[in-house]
Amino acid sequence: MMKTKIIFLLTITALVLAVVSCPTVAKVADFSAQVAGATGLIDQNTANAISNTSRAIGNAAEEITPEQEYYIGRAVGANILATYRVWNGNPALTSYLNMICGVITINSPKPDVYNGYHVAILDTNEINAFATSGGHIFLTRGLINAARSEDALAAVIAHEIAHIQLQHSIKAIRTSRITNAIMVTGASAAGVAAGMNVNELTDVLTESVGEIVQTLVNNGYSQSQEFEADATALSLLASAGYNPSGLIDMLNELNRVQTSGSGFGKTHPTPAQRLTNAQRTLNQHRVTDTSQYRVTRFNTSVR
Ligand SMILES: [Zn+2]
């Protein structure tokens, strides 16, 4: 009887340790990032961002708050902007895209996020789009140029909004190598307490955010998540008064112009596969034709 009691207590202790270990590790990483910032080896903004991100990742096993989603998305977004430049060559076009995004989100099940939804244009001819958690959406100039109507453009934005609202990037963090990254970060953070070089810690923390970027941007989401984002995009478009078949138009255009090895082609199923999937659910949505105003808006904003 006594033996059973001891085994029971040991099991409970192991379970409690397993549950508390990640937040504890994150707290250490959080503290170390603040120390690194205070010593001037990384600037205070970077230290705060790392700190907030490690805090958020540390709580991944628990419910992630909208604020944490924002901080994770901001760190990943900052990494995307290390590769691509934001294009501010046409502020009217940027506000036009944000207007489309606003119309879709305000009519969606999740009209608001911690710091609002924002669309930025990336200065590249590559056909690509990224959504990071917390409402950050990036569309490339190449993708915008491939759109032939406002409905098609809205379809691309709706697809990215769907990734955010379905929390695909958060799910990617939960299932990716991020747990290992946190363990490495935690080990190094403990090392700092024992006199380890702070520069090495900074490198490890940077690598951790890099791992998230790798999962979200280079490897892409799973095929079923992409199909789910397309199906959700159709419903978002219909709810906002857009023609859901804009997604079909966009996929047909992508099928024509997209190359498989880069951008969308690298991280998404082929346009042909997505077309088959989207066609299946398209007729569930009412298709209204109120396109005349949108044609004018599109032609003055994009062309
Ligand atoms: Zn996608």
Side-chain angles (χ1 to χ4, degrees), residues 87-140:
W87 186 67
N88 282 320
N90 186 348
L93 177 59
T94 301
S95 62
Y96 171 66
L97 298 173
N98 277 281
M99 184 194 71
I100 295 174
C101 178
V103 167
I104 297 169
T105 52
I106 211 161
N107 290 290
S108 77
K110 217 181 207 176
D112 202 17
V113 284
Y114 175 68
N115 196 35
Y117 292 89
H118 300 281
V119 185
I121 304 171
L122 298 178
D123 193 9
T124 171
N125 287 326
E126 182 185 309
I127 292 175
N128 214 344
F130 305 103
T132 78
S133 63
H136 315 77
I137 297 166
F138 302 96
L139 304 183
T140 65

Side-chain angles (χ1 to χ4, degrees), residues 223-251:
Q223 202 166 64
S224 64
Q225 285 177 321
E226 289 304 338
F227 291 150
E228 194 189 4
D230 278 340
T232 304
L234 292 176
S235 125
L236 288 172
L237 290 167
S239 302
Y242 279 113
N243 191 336
S245 65
L247 181 64
I248 307 298
D249 297 341
M250 192 70 210
L251 290 172

Side-chain angles (χ1 to χ4, degrees), residues 175-199:
T175 56
S176 76
R177 292 194 300 147
I178 197 63
T179 313
N180 284 345
I182 283 297
M183 293 317 288
V184 172
T185 307
S188 304
V192 164
M196 183 190 171
N197 188 331
V198 178
N199 278 333

